[in-house]
Amino acid sequence: MVVIVPNKMLYALDKYIPVYGRDRVLVARSIDGKVWERSVSPAINVGHDCKFDMAYWPFVWREGSLWKMVFSGSPNLRQPKRVFSLYTSTSADLINWTEPEDLLVDDGYYMCPRVYHRAGEAQLLWSSGDNCKEVRTSCLSEAMVPGELVTIKSKTGLVDCVDFNICGDILAGVTSSEAGNFIFARERVANDWDVFAETAVKMAGYDFINNPSLVQLGSEWLLFYRASKRTAWGSELWCIKSGDLETWSEPELALDYSGWKRKSLDGKSYSVFERVANYELGGVGYPTVIEAEGILYAFYGGYWGLHLLMPYTYWFWR
């Protein structure tokens, strides 16, 4: 006999027992991009009392003496229609962040939010449309939809790229046609970007390569990205390096995930059934890596906390 539990009842139970997934924005820091120190607490936490159960695509930039973050949040299974809204948060130290505030909150689908400064004015870019097939933009101070259409062009024509990040005046993206095909573009005129370099990353056994984040450390460029052998579940953060954005090094693992067991900063191994280990249970992704005073800070999503629907989500992502 199959028992179907109403979603409303599951949501009520979720206040006491974690029924739904809990995908948070996490933060780690490094001096070389290889060895990372994770923060004990999430940058953006989620839960029953939050507006969202899942937080993805964090983007961080400096505004005066403070740091700002914009990210996508989804209420997951609470609603019959899956939505992604945009929220902002503020920090003085890149570790502790304020309670998120609404930016674009409705029944829309807003993913991959990024901030680009044009002539001193902050522009908000995001992926939108049916199944996020286009990039839109508007002034950050007056964020509104539908916004203006953004085009990305190469020598052969328009580029289909809705998974991207911003580093200074450079847009780093991955084309929708092939995993691991990264492009680099600059804005020629308002909302028109031209590709000036590209590279293809091939990793044996990995067929899920996306979520790029470009950062400059000294004279070297580092491109971080998500890679997995089976869609989002079990994904890791990898890195390639370049001095000119043309020739790149071989991929190196940058940040793995806790998996079924995680060794914490105190050196002790915690089992998956202990609460301390639940932030990266199924993988990591959606990175934005920035440099501040010679230190790299990685803001990224951690998949699936301890919840009753975990067997279903594991099956769903396989």
Side-chain angles (χ1 to χ4, degrees):
M1 180 179 65
V2 178
V3 178
I4 300 177
V5 182
N7 191 57
K8 185 177 296 186
M9 186 179 298
L10 284 176
Y11 180 54
L13 179 64
D14 186 65
K15 185 174 183 179
Y16 308 98
I17 301 175
V19 175
Y20 296 115
R22 294 285 187 256
D23 292 354
R24 302 163 172 85
V25 173
L26 310 177
V27 57
R29 55 191 176 188
S30 171
I31 60 173
D32 57 8
K34 296 180 180 179
V35 180
W36 293 86
E37 178 188 23
R38 290 171 168 87
S39 174
V40 176
S41 302
I44 301 296
N45 211 341
V46 297
H48 183 275
D49 296 327
C50 295
K51 301 175 182 179
F52 43 83
D53 298 312
M54 297 179 168
Y56 301 126
W57 292 284
F59 182 82
V60 175
W61 74 99
R62 183 186 287 276
E63 190 172 290
S65 61
L66 297 175
W67 295 92
K68 297 285 189 176
M69 179 193 298
V70 61
F71 64 93
S72 296
S74 173
N76 193 18
L77 300 178
R78 300 186 200 179
Q79 300 179 1
K81 176 185 177 182
R82 185 74 179 271
V83 300
F84 279 98
S85 298
L86 300 186
Y87 304 89
T88 60
S89 183
T90 303
S91 174
D93 59 5
L94 291 170
I95 300 297
N96 301 290
W97 292 82
T98 60
E99 188 72 18
E101 298 181 1
D102 296 355
L103 181 61
L104 278 178
V105 178
D106 53 29
D107 60 352
Y109 212 80
Y110 311 119
M111 303 167 72
C112 204
R114 311 301 185 202
V115 173
Y116 170 69
H117 289 83
R118 180 196 302 139
E121 184 177 49
Q123 302 290 321
L124 175 69
L125 290 81
W126 69 89
S127 297
S128 185
D130 183 24
N131 292 322
C132 287
K133 292 298 184 182
E134 59 189 24
V135 177
R136 292 278 175 173
T137 184
S138 76
C139 178
L140 178 63
S141 62
E142 299 177 357
M144 61 182 66
V145 294
E148 299 180 30
L149 184 65
V150 173
T151 60
I152 304 172
K153 301 176 183 177
S154 68
K155 294 180 180 179
T156 58
L158 291 177
V159 176
D160 184 8
C161 173
V162 294
D163 183 359
F164 63 95
N165 216 315
I166 297 289
C167 177
D169 66 340
I170 299 176
L171 181 151
V174 60
T175 62
S176 303
S177 59
E178 185 176 357
N181 186 23
F182 295 107
I183 61 167
F184 307 94
R186 287 191 174 95
E187 192 176 46
R188 177 173 50 84
V189 295
N191 302 330
D192 287 340
W193 295 73
D194 286 346
V195 175
F196 65 88
E198 58 185 292
T199 187
V201 175
K202 302 296 183 182
M203 299 170 58
Y206 288 80
D207 54 5
F208 197 70
I209 301 174
N210 54 16
N211 296 166
S213 178
L214 182 69
V215 63
Q216 189 171 23
L217 185 62
S219 60
E220 193 171 45
W221 293 97
L222 285 72
L223 180 68
F224 293 87
Y225 58 89
R226 175 177 68 171
S228 175
K229 298 178 180 179
R230 53 179 190 276
T231 66
W233 189 271
S235 56
E236 306 158 332
L237 299 187
W238 287 70
C239 178
I240 55 176
K241 301 178 181 180
S242 174
D244 57 6
L245 296 176
E246 295 281 354
T247 303
W248 292 86
S249 67
E250 291 297 315
E252 296 182 19
L253 179 64
L255 196 69
D256 62 0
Y257 68 103
S258 58
W260 299 108
K261 285 196 173 183
R262 168 181 175 180
K263 184 170 288 187
S264 70
L265 294 178
D266 62 10
K268 177 183 176 183
S269 292
Y270 296 90
S271 77
V272 70
F273 298 104
E274 298 180 77
R275 297 296 296 180
V276 71
N278 70 357
Y279 295 153
E280 299 176 5
L281 179 63
V284 293
Y286 310 104
T288 282
V289 182
I290 65 170
E291 181 272 335
E293 299 181 353
I295 299 176
L296 295 176
Y297 290 81
F299 297 87
Y300 60 99
Y303 289 125
W304 308 123
L306 297 174
H307 60 97
L308 296 183
L309 296 181
M310 190 177 68
Y312 164 75
T313 57
Y314 175 75
W315 172 84
F316 178 77
W317 281 111
R318 281 184 63 85

